Amino acid sequence: MRLLLAAAVAAAAPAPAAAPPSAPDAKAARILASAVRLYHRLEFQDALERFDRALGAAPGWKTAAGLRAACRWTLGDQAGAKEDAELAARLKPSDAPSYAARGKARLILKDFPGAMADFRASAEADPRSLEGPLGEGSALSAQGRTRDALEPLDEAVRLDPGSAAALLMRGSVKDRLRDFRGAAEDYGAVLEINPRFAWARLYRGMALRELKDYPAAESELSVFLEANPDHEDAAYLRGNVRFLLGDFRGAAADLTKVLSKNPGRGTAYANRGQARAALGDKAGAVSDLRKALELDPTRRDKIQSALDALAASPAEEAQAAPALREPASERGRRGEPAPERHTGEEESLFIK
């Protein structure tokens, strides 16, 4: 699931009475407004159904197409999102909602200057709406200008503190600025608005792990894994946190699950080897570390050091080597948007 959080228009005004029959009527506008509310709650599937209904009632409605484009992109339908965006990009905006809709279309099409201009025009047309600043923050974030993105996102949250979409985007930006406490607070606020949005559990768990609040991080990752049991990176990260909590058996179990899905992940073998060493399983630890050495020669020195330490200790005294930090240049930070923001590799506790 991709989480590109461009701006969503709060409501669409009904067409004037003299508009052509094909223009959206008041009922279509109400459907679109309900879709936008669901989008801001991060209820994307339900929002998409409403966007589809709105466009079914008014085929070719460019404002609705721009809004649906962002929802489709978020749900991973890039082809459908681009199709909608190309239609919405032909809008001739006349008010704040239509400027915001065209801005979203331009953002998806990577016309960043055009998107920025539209979002600023939307904010100027309606200073009370969060859509302009939310869109501007989204566009700045998409360009890697995370520090610049924070000010408009703060304004978007101020204008509508009930928008989970704005809070999630701001949390992502804070996370990449290494304001992990602020990120954890924003993700927590998202969950207060929509407790079913499991991805906020993952992101909050990652932030809490950075803050060294390991019990809370383990709890959030566990809730996320209940909803997404096959998520490899979440299991990898929970294994990390469980090791830090002294739950070596739980850490080894998580890493075994990771390896069942990705047997080529060398760091998972290295880390499970360290967990097995902490459990006193010297033979298992040596086997895992040797496999890691075969799969991940770039960390040869660190893995070999762990093997040497095991070889020097009696089997009953085998224990994990100290954590080895990898250079900052090797530790990827999250991109834009959500699930792929952490791969898990940068969170490795043991052999990094």
Side-chain angles (χ1 to χ4, degrees), residues 282 286 306-314:
K282 182 174 181 178
V286 169
L307 279 166
D308 292 345
L310 282 170
S313 63

Side-chain angles (χ1 to χ4, degrees), residues 146-147 150 167-187 199-200 202-211 332-335 337-338 341-342 346-347:
T146 48
R147 195 163 298 281
L150 194 56
L167 286 161
L168 184 65
M169 175 58 73
R170 189 176 70 172
S172 170
V173 167
K174 286 180 176 180
D175 213 334
R176 285 181 287 131
L177 291 172
R178 302 190 67 78
D179 175 10
F180 300 118
R181 192 166 304 282
E185 289 173 358
D186 278 349
Y187 298 142
W199 293 99
L202 175 62
Y203 306 146
R204 188 165 187 268
M206 291 174 174
L208 291 167
R209 187 257 180 262
E210 294 282 359
L211 293 168
R333 295 301 304 160
R334 325 188 202 191
R341 284 181 287 191
H342 282 258
E346 74 275 27
E347 302 292 343

